[in-house]
Amino acid sequence: MIVEISVVPIGVGESLSKYVAEVIRVLREKNIKHELTAMGTILELSSFSELCEILEEINKRLFSLGSPRNYFVLKIDVRKKGGKIEDKVRSVLEKI
Amino acid sequence: MIVEISVVPIGVGESLSKYVAEVIRVLREKNIKHELTAMGTILELSSFSELCEILEEINKRLFSLGSPRNYFVLKIDVRKKGGKIEDKVRSVLEKI
Amino acid sequence: MIVEISVVPIGVGESLSKYVAEVIRVLREKNIKHELTAMGTILELSSFSELCEILEEINKRLFSLGSPRNYFVLKIDVRKKGGKIEDKVRSVLEKI
Amino acid sequence: MIVEISVVPIGVGESLSKYVAEVIRVLREKNIKHELTAMGTILELSSFSELCEILEEINKRLFSLGSPRNYFVLKIDVRKKGGKIEDKVRSVLEKI
């Protein structure tokens, strides 16, 4: 299962990098393989319950940093078999 | 917590309504308040763990209907206090 | 072409309804068929250029209302043939 | 303006890499600065009209490759001033 998480804390001003940094801290603490991009963070997870533990923790941390409202956008690509971050990118590059 | 779920089963042909109907069945069985729109289904939930139970069940059902790959797009609006579907729409309409 | 637009002005505080109301005003002025939901506004459009005129206008208006930064999330469902809002919902309901 | 585009051609089978490769070809032909990730392609653009030219071309190419239906998910981060891909990532990494 490959997930891209983006979260916008609403009501904390224009700059959000401090809050996105907290998201990365959560992932590092949980030893989750991840890739930070300009528009989200891409994770490789094993289950929906693992995903929701992460969302719960991120939400709690952003609330504790003073955000009154969090807006998440998630994209989840889940296959019966396989699904690795590198495989997806490589299989595209091979075909260009 | 207000969530909008859209799911695209990939590899089952052009028409997806049969699979979206299965999503609605899952929500009805779980007595989840929901609103079907042309671009997703909007839910009112109490926690991320409740969300993940629903995602798990939807994913399992779509796999059992023959989809080899499911692509979810989720938008989640979570506030420290409040957050009802009707309140959001009414507070916009009042200001037009 | 069916499009769902959600826009989060960033840096204007927690409540966004005033800004979403402005989005609806733009659509009414342009006579665009639309449906406001709790998680976005669904439109029926004829082309990508029509979409971009709307995005341009919305972005400009939100900037003029004082937003320094706008975060759009768009979902676009475009078919070679057909694609009406009512058809999508009806074809799901018929199969539940 | 930073944009992330993901597009799912619906009705062409489980593997989509051939179609995503076509998206990259379009961007290269148009000399658009872009970054391919496992969950989308991130672009730096100057206007909504530039965005829609790209979407139009991508949509046309995927139809010509045999897709009957294209499902786009776009995230757009537009600021009154500034907004570079590297700046966003660097400002997060500096705060971890």
Side-chain angles (χ1 to χ4, degrees):
Chain A
M1 174 184 301
I2 301 176
V3 181
E4 184 192 63
I5 296 179
S6 21
V7 54
V8 175
I10 298 175
V12 295
E14 182 185 345
S15 171
L16 306 181
S17 44
K18 168 178 125 177
Y19 303 90
V20 178
E22 192 68 18
V23 172
I24 302 301
R25 231 173 260 122
V26 170
L27 299 175
R28 288 186 179 178
E29 286 161 21
K30 290 180 177 283
N31 275 314
I32 304 285
K33 180 180 169 185
H34 63 278
E35 190 187 303
L36 171 66
T37 80
M39 292 301 277
T41 304
I42 301 169
L43 321 179
E44 241 173 55
L45 298 177
S46 57
S47 68
F48 285 101
S49 47
E50 190 182 16
L51 170 60
C52 283
E53 266 174 52
I54 291 165
L55 295 176
E56 198 100 56
E57 184 63 19
I58 289 171
N59 191 60
K60 208 177 68 182
R61 295 271 193 108
L62 299 188
F63 277 168
S64 65
L65 283 177
S67 170
R69 179 179 182 183
N70 298 320
Y71 182 76
F72 292 83
V73 180
L74 306 179
K75 294 191 287 190
I76 305 170
D77 185 0
V78 49
R79 294 186 186 216
K80 270 190 181 165
K81 274 169 265 141
K84 295 280 176 208
I85 291 178
E86 300 78 22
D87 297 349
K88 277 189 82 176
V89 176
R90 189 169 10 86
S91 72
V92 172
L93 294 178
E94 284 166 358
K95 297 178 177 80
I96 297 174
Chain B
M1 176 183 300
I2 300 175
V3 180
E4 183 191 63
I5 297 179
S6 18
V7 54
V8 175
I10 297 175
V12 295
E14 182 185 346
S15 171
L16 305 181
S17 42
K18 166 178 129 179
Y19 304 90
V20 179
E22 193 68 18
V23 171
I24 302 302
R25 231 173 261 124
V26 169
L27 300 175
R28 288 187 181 178
E29 287 162 20
K30 289 179 177 284
N31 276 315
I32 303 285
K33 179 180 168 185
H34 62 278
E35 189 189 305
L36 171 66
T37 79
M39 292 300 277
T41 304
I42 301 169
L43 323 178
E44 240 173 56
L45 299 176
S46 57
S47 69
F48 285 100
S49 47
E50 189 181 16
L51 170 60
C52 281
E53 267 174 50
I54 290 165
L55 294 176
E56 198 101 54
E57 184 63 17
I58 288 171
N59 191 59
K60 207 177 67 181
R61 295 272 195 109
L62 298 188
F63 277 169
S64 64
L65 283 178
S67 171
R69 180 179 181 182
N70 298 321
Y71 182 76
F72 292 83
V73 179
L74 307 179
K75 296 191 285 190
I76 306 170
D77 186 0
V78 48
R79 294 184 185 219
K80 270 189 180 164
K81 273 169 267 145
K84 296 280 175 204
I85 291 178
E86 301 76 23
D87 297 350
K88 277 190 82 177
V89 175
R90 190 172 7 89
S91 74
V92 171
L93 294 178
E94 286 165 359
K95 296 176 178 78
I96 298 175
Chain C
M1 176 183 298
I2 301 176
V3 180
E4 183 191 65
I5 297 179
S6 18
V7 55
V8 175
I10 297 175
V12 296
E14 182 184 347
S15 171
L16 305 181
S17 44
K18 166 178 127 178
Y19 304 90
V20 178
E22 192 68 17
V23 171
I24 303 301
R25 228 173 264 124
V26 170
L27 299 175
R28 288 187 180 177
E29 287 162 20
K30 289 179 178 286
N31 275 315
I32 303 284
K33 179 179 167 184
H34 64 277
E35 189 188 305
L36 170 66
T37 80
M39 292 300 277
T41 304
I42 301 170
L43 323 178
E44 239 174 56
L45 299 178
S46 57
S47 69
F48 286 101
S49 46
E50 189 181 17
L51 169 60
C52 281
E53 268 173 50
I54 290 165
L55 295 175
E56 198 102 54
E57 184 62 17
I58 289 171
N59 190 60
K60 207 177 69 182
R61 295 273 194 108
L62 300 187
F63 276 169
S64 65
L65 283 177
S67 170
R69 179 179 182 184
N70 298 320
Y71 181 76
F72 292 82
V73 179
L74 308 178
K75 296 191 286 191
I76 306 170
D77 185 0
V78 49
R79 294 185 185 217
K80 268 189 182 165
K81 273 169 266 145
K84 295 280 176 206
I85 291 178
E86 300 76 22
D87 297 350
K88 277 190 81 177
V89 176
R90 190 172 4 88
S91 73
V92 172
L93 295 178
E94 286 165 359
K95 298 179 177 79
I96 296 175
Chain D
M1 173 184 302
I2 301 176
V3 181
E4 184 191 63
I5 297 179
S6 21
V7 55
V8 175
I10 297 175
V12 295
E14 181 185 346
S15 171
L16 305 181
S17 44
K18 167 178 127 178
Y19 304 90
V20 178
E22 192 69 16
V23 171
I24 303 301
R25 231 173 261 124
V26 170
L27 300 174
R28 287 187 180 178
E29 287 161 20
K30 289 178 177 286
N31 274 314
I32 304 284
K33 180 180 168 185
H34 63 278
E35 189 188 304
L36 171 66
T37 81
M39 292 300 277
T41 305
I42 301 170
L43 322 178
E44 239 173 57
L45 298 178
S46 57
S47 69
F48 285 100
S49 47
E50 189 181 15
L51 170 60
C52 283
E53 267 173 51
I54 290 165
L55 295 175
E56 197 100 57
E57 183 62 19
I58 289 171
N59 191 60
K60 208 178 68 181
R61 296 270 195 109
L62 299 188
F63 277 169
S64 65
L65 283 177
S67 170
R69 180 180 182 183
N70 297 321
Y71 182 77
F72 292 83
V73 180
L74 307 180
K75 295 191 285 191
I76 306 170
D77 185 0
V78 49
R79 294 186 187 217
K80 268 190 181 165
K81 273 170 265 142
K84 295 278 177 207
I85 291 178
E86 300 77 23
D87 297 349
K88 279 189 81 176
V89 175
R90 191 173 5 91
S91 72
V92 171
L93 294 178
E94 286 165 0
K95 297 177 178 80
I96 297 174

